[in-house]
Amino acid sequence: MPATNMCWGIEIGASAIKALKLEADGEGGVRVLEQVVIDHPKPLSTPDVNVNDVLRVSLGTLVSQHEFGKVPIAVSVPGHSAFARFAKLPPVEPKKVPDIVKFEAMQQIPFPLEQVEWDYQTFVTPDSPDVEVGIFAITRERVNEHLQRLADVGITPTYVVLSPIAVYNALAYDLDFGAKTPGTIIVDVGTTSTDLVIATPGRMWVRTFPLGGHQFTDALVQQFQASYSKAEKLKREAEDSKYARQVFQAMRPIFTDLAQDIQRSIGYYQSLNRDAELTRLIGIGSTFRLPGLRKYLKQQLSMDVYRIEEYKKLKVTGDAAPRFNDNSLNFCTAYGLALQGLGLNAVGGNLMPTSVLRKSMWKEKTPMFAAAAGVALAASGAMFLFPLRDSMGVSANQPGAVIRQALARQADLKRDADEAGVLNAGDPDMRVANILTLLERRGIFQYVVNDIGTMLAEADTAVPAWQRRFAEGRPPYTGPAYTMTRFDTQYLPPAAPQQDTGFGFDSGSQAPADPLNISQYPRLECTLVLSTRQPEARRFAEETIDRWLRANGVRADVPYEIVAPPRPSTVAEPGRDGADLLSGGSPRFPGDAAGGRGMVMTSEGMIERDAMGGVGLRAQVQRGAVVIGGGGAPPPSATEQAADVARAAAQNELDRTVPLTPPADGPLPPETGTVRVTWYVVFKPAESGDGDAMNPGGPQ
């Protein structure tokens, strides 16, 4: 709950600073206490303008004219400077949602999580069991620069919110968005970019594209060979100008570009949500004052187009009402920001760094801590005096001579025993036990290879239907569903069970998390890397590989269980994830990190991966034989040699069963993605005595 019933909402736009100070009136609405519009000396889109100098002047004017005190402040960051991503979550328990969202954020945000500030919001619709998540993020460098600029004039915000989120919150509150609200498109045309928000019952979606009022002004600069400031004035006064016809003729191509970008956004959204019905568009921003724009968009989009003229739940009294109504189109973002501080927002997403908030809170509480420390010091002094008196009394009573002699004798005997080493248990010699364990599970790799072959064969059967469904306009490709490029395994010994904290992430303790509850069993970690030429690579992997792993976890004829994360496969797409796969670079998957040690099967043999993620040449497979040496590594032990031989046999079986390259029967379409699949082969104790589950001989 908010600590106060007032909040400032400040939007630092490219043409002006707009701010509102709102107060919740307790009658189902909010009241405007102060309103601010400070135009920049020059728009930030003006060529060769110094952005920092302009903002310093405007922010200085703001703080000189208005007192902020201890009222919470919410500020916005433009949509084009941050990220908004939306995805559906797999069905999991509610307590695991935060960890699943963090895993999803690692895939969706194109930066390491330690370099960004991020937050999320889940969406649930009444008539659907699906849970969607909106992930909002901004780089720490960018948000810290923004906050430092505010700190220079004495402003310390409590909330940092994306502009499109603030716009949605304002209209969702003012228009009472609910389960029966028609599908609404909100278009906020700013100075340099446009935020498009699609609101349907229970959910929202955001896209930002680089087209705004600047493009309209620039078209007039080119048409009339005028300065930027004169063109800006001509745009604002276009309706009353004697050159109105020439002005609108010059801006007509930008009208067309805006309509096309809106149509593309709607088309993409409806391709993801085929049941969505979008019936109206609400325009925000000064650009919607241009005559003819609403009529043009209505003709192009075939839907009703409205413009915000007034707000239903925002109360403005006295002489301030006319001035507020003149700027109502531009106050929507500030309105939504202030609602965030009042706790009346529909969607969260605070990108304020926790370190800055913590520092601010400690600064405010320092006087209280000083007073509390004084009281605690006095109390502790009183508590110390009585034990000190008792201690001095005990110290005065020294033990007798017999007791002192016995204690000295005990110390001498303990020292002699320590020197003799009889008190230590000694280090066990595990060499014999390690050699005997090599015979266990000697046929497991044959089962694993058989699983991979079955998995890929079932995926091949899905190719024709997938091509008919998604390959419209693409070269047909009926080759294999996947091409295998790499297969890694790593043996993980059993450990003491850890508390389940959710999938994939530690809860803060030093012990490793065990989200799948399998660390108490011996297991193999299997990582398979595939490439595919099928369209919609991410969805194809979910429909084939992920589905197979979920369906074949427990089988009567296999001596282990397959345990996979909620999202076993991650997909790196060309030009989007890591290096460009089409240019030959190595793909980087979300969440890649160095670490671990194990044997790596590749098309060139078997190599060892060290603990830092590097690859040595300690063991290579050549035609079934293991060659030891190379890379400066120490000679392997007998245990390691035996393990290498077993893995070499598995590699030969894998080469025979699963071809590493597709048949070359014509020109191939480009690869659409590289898929990395991770699962665990878990050896749980047999529940009955039928068969030797711990020592199988391989599939027959």
Side-chain angles (χ1 to χ4, degrees):
M1 292 296 292
T4 178
N5 64 339
M6 292 185 292
C7 183
W8 275 97
I10 303 176
E11 178 194 7
I12 304 175
S15 61
I17 295 177
K18 284 86 69 176
L20 289 177
K21 182 180 180 181
L22 301 186
E23 179 184 32
D25 65 2
E27 299 177 1
V30 292
R31 181 168 56 252
V32 177
L33 300 182
E34 295 187 53
Q35 54 177 307
V36 182
V37 176
I38 299 176
D39 292 324
H40 296 317
K42 290 184 178 180
L44 303 185
S45 56
T46 304
D48 302 324
V49 72
N50 189 312
V51 174
N52 288 327
D53 288 345
V54 172
L55 291 178
R56 191 177 299 112
V57 171
S58 298
L59 288 171
T61 304
L62 174 67
V63 297
S64 66
Q65 296 179 356
H66 300 273
E67 180 66 33
F68 292 96
K70 295 185 178 181
V71 176
I73 300 172
V75 300
S76 66
V77 289
H80 64 80
S81 67
F83 312 99
R85 302 290 187 268
F86 298 85
K88 289 185 178 181
L89 299 181
V92 294
E93 299 177 15
K95 68 178 182 179
K96 294 187 177 182
V97 167
D99 291 331
I100 295 295
V101 171
K102 187 174 182 180
F103 179 76
E104 191 69 41
M106 294 170 63
Q107 298 194 71
Q108 298 288 346
I109 300 174
F111 290 95
L113 291 188
E114 60 270 14
Q115 296 180 13
V116 299
E117 297 292 340
W118 69 283
D119 202 350
Y120 72 94
Q121 174 75 44
T122 55
F123 302 98
V124 179
T125 55
D127 56 348
S128 173
D130 295 335
V131 178
E132 293 191 9
V133 62
I135 299 172
F136 316 116
I138 187 172
T139 61
R140 287 185 177 174
E141 179 182 4
R142 183 164 290 177
V143 73
N144 287 335
E145 178 184 359
H146 190 62
L147 293 175
Q148 184 60 51
R149 189 180 293 123
L150 294 170
D152 290 342
V153 295
I155 296 177
T156 302
T158 309
Y159 306 91
V160 176
V161 184
L162 267 65
S163 291
I165 305 301
V167 168
Y168 174 83
N169 283 334
L171 295 185
Y173 172 77
D174 202 77
L175 301 179
D176 289 319
F177 283 2
K180 297 183 179 180
T181 301
T184 303
I185 303 166
I186 306 168
V187 177
D188 182 8
V189 182
T191 302
T192 58
S193 63
T194 295
D195 294 327
L196 184 142
V197 181
I198 295 181
T200 54
R203 66 181 67 176
M204 65 167 296
W205 182 83
V206 174
R207 177 176 180 254
T208 300
F209 49 85
L211 190 153
H214 166 72
Q215 279 70 22
F216 289 92
T217 304
D218 191 57
L220 298 180
V221 170
Q222 302 298 327
Q223 177 68 24
F224 295 100
Q225 299 299 309
S227 65
Y228 193 89
S229 58
K230 289 183 178 180
E232 182 72 19
K233 182 178 179 182
L234 186 61
K235 181 183 70 174
R236 294 181 180 181
E237 301 173 353
E239 188 173 11
D240 300 325
S241 172
K242 62 180 180 179
Y243 303 108
R245 182 175 181 182
Q246 292 89 333
V247 169
F248 288 109
Q249 191 67 28
M251 293 191 298
R252 185 174 181 82
I254 314 303
F255 278 38
T256 302
D257 292 342
L258 177 63
Q260 289 178 349
D261 272 321
I262 294 174
Q263 285 178 323
R264 278 194 291 268
S265 302
I266 295 173
Y268 179 73
Y269 178 81
Q270 290 182 326
S271 70
L272 301 177
N273 304 273
R274 300 185 182 278
D275 57 341
E277 296 183 6
L278 307 178
T279 61
R280 62 177 178 173
L281 183 147
I282 299 176
I284 298 169
S286 296
T287 302
F288 270 90
R289 297 187 189 277
L290 290 174
L293 178 57
R294 284 189 293 167
K295 181 179 179 181
Y296 180 78
L297 292 178
K298 181 176 182 179
Q299 293 173 345
Q300 297 296 315
L301 304 176
S302 300
M303 67 174 61
D304 294 329
V305 178
Y306 303 93
R307 184 178 70 189
I308 291 294
E309 302 291 350
E310 62 179 1
Y311 298 102
K312 298 179 179 179
K313 294 186 178 182
L314 201 58
K315 301 175 183 178
V316 188
T317 59
D319 298 338
R323 185 162 61 94
F324 181 85
N325 292 333
D326 290 342
N327 294 285
S328 59
L329 272 173
N330 298 320
F331 274 137
C332 191
T333 300
Y335 183 10
L337 291 171
L339 290 175
Q340 185 102 6
L342 297 176
L344 300 175
N345 54 300
V347 174
N350 187 8
L351 303 182
M352 184 69 181
T354 54
S355 59
V356 179
L357 281 176
R358 191 179 297 115
K359 183 185 299 183
S360 177
M361 292 173 61
W362 276 97
K363 184 177 180 180
E364 292 180 359
K365 295 181 179 180
T366 298
M368 291 186 293
F369 287 143
V375 174
L377 182 61
S380 62
M383 296 175 62
F384 174 73
L385 292 176
F386 295 105
L388 178 62
R389 183 191 62 185
D390 296 339
S391 176
M392 294 175 64
V394 172
S395 299
N397 295 324
Q398 297 294 331
V402 175
I403 296 176
R404 292 198 300 271
Q405 291 176 1
L407 292 174
R409 177 60 176 165
Q410 184 268 342
D412 292 340
L413 292 175
K414 184 177 184 303
R415 183 174 61 254
D416 294 342
D418 286 338
E419 293 175 356
V422 298
L423 298 182
N424 297 326
D427 297 328
D429 188 347
M430 303 299 295
R431 288 176 295 178
V432 174
N434 289 338
I435 292 175
L436 291 176
T437 57
L438 292 177
L439 299 177
E440 295 182 1
R441 309 181 188 94
R442 58 186 178 272
I444 287 299
F445 273 102
Q446 298 180 37
Y447 281 96
V448 174
V449 168
N450 188 59
D451 283 351
I452 295 174
T454 305
M455 182 193 309
L456 298 185
E458 289 194 12
D460 288 342
T461 62
V463 168
W466 197 264
Q467 289 284 322
R468 290 192 301 270
R469 183 178 174 187
F470 291 105
E472 183 177 355
R474 293 170 51 95
Y477 176 63
T478 57
Y482 299 98
T483 299
M484 195 189 80
T485 58
R486 176 169 170 161
F487 179 51
D488 303 359
T489 60
Q490 182 178 2
Y491 175 75
L492 302 174
Q498 301 294 331
Q499 184 178 1
D500 186 4
T501 61
F503 170 65
F505 306 101
D506 203 337
S507 61
S509 63
Q510 294 299 320
D514 183 19
L516 302 177
N517 197 25
I518 57 174
S519 65
Q520 67 267 39
Y521 306 113
R523 60 205 180 278
L524 286 178
E525 181 185 46
C526 299
T527 304
L528 178 65
V529 180
L530 309 164
S531 63
T532 183
R533 301 176 188 274
Q534 302 299 325
E536 297 285 347
R538 294 177 190 271
R539 295 179 62 182
F540 187 62
E542 293 176 358
E543 293 293 328
T544 55
I545 301 297
D546 293 7
R547 177 173 294 181
W548 191 92
L549 289 172
R550 286 193 293 267
N552 293 273
V554 179
R555 292 164 290 171
D557 57 342
V558 176
Y560 53 76
E561 291 185 15
I562 290 178
V563 179
R567 296 176 67 96
S569 63
T570 54
V571 180
E573 297 181 348
R576 288 184 58 187
D577 302 289
D580 190 343
L581 305 182
L582 298 181
S583 62
S586 299
R588 290 187 63 231
F589 293 87
D592 272 352
R597 176 181 178 185
M599 299 305 297
V600 179
M601 295 184 182
T602 70
S603 57
E604 298 183 1
M606 181 180 296
I607 57 180
E608 183 184 39
R609 183 183 64 211
D610 62 24
M612 297 302 295
V615 175
L617 297 175
R618 183 158 139 190
Q620 285 188 330
V621 177
Q622 296 181 353
R623 302 182 183 278
V626 178
V627 180
I628 305 299
S637 64
T639 301
E640 292 173 324
Q641 292 185 44
D644 291 341
V645 170
R647 295 190 183 98
Q651 172 65 30
N652 292 338
E653 179 67 16
L654 193 62
D655 290 341
R656 180 184 65 79
T657 307
V658 184
L660 290 177
T661 57
D665 54 357
L668 298 178
E671 290 185 0
T672 57
T674 297
V675 184
R676 184 173 68 184
V677 191
T678 301
W679 72 93
Y680 296 89
V681 169
V682 183
F683 307 106
K684 295 185 178 180
E687 297 182 359
S688 66
D690 297 336
D692 187 1
M694 303 301 289
N695 189 22
Q700 303 300 320

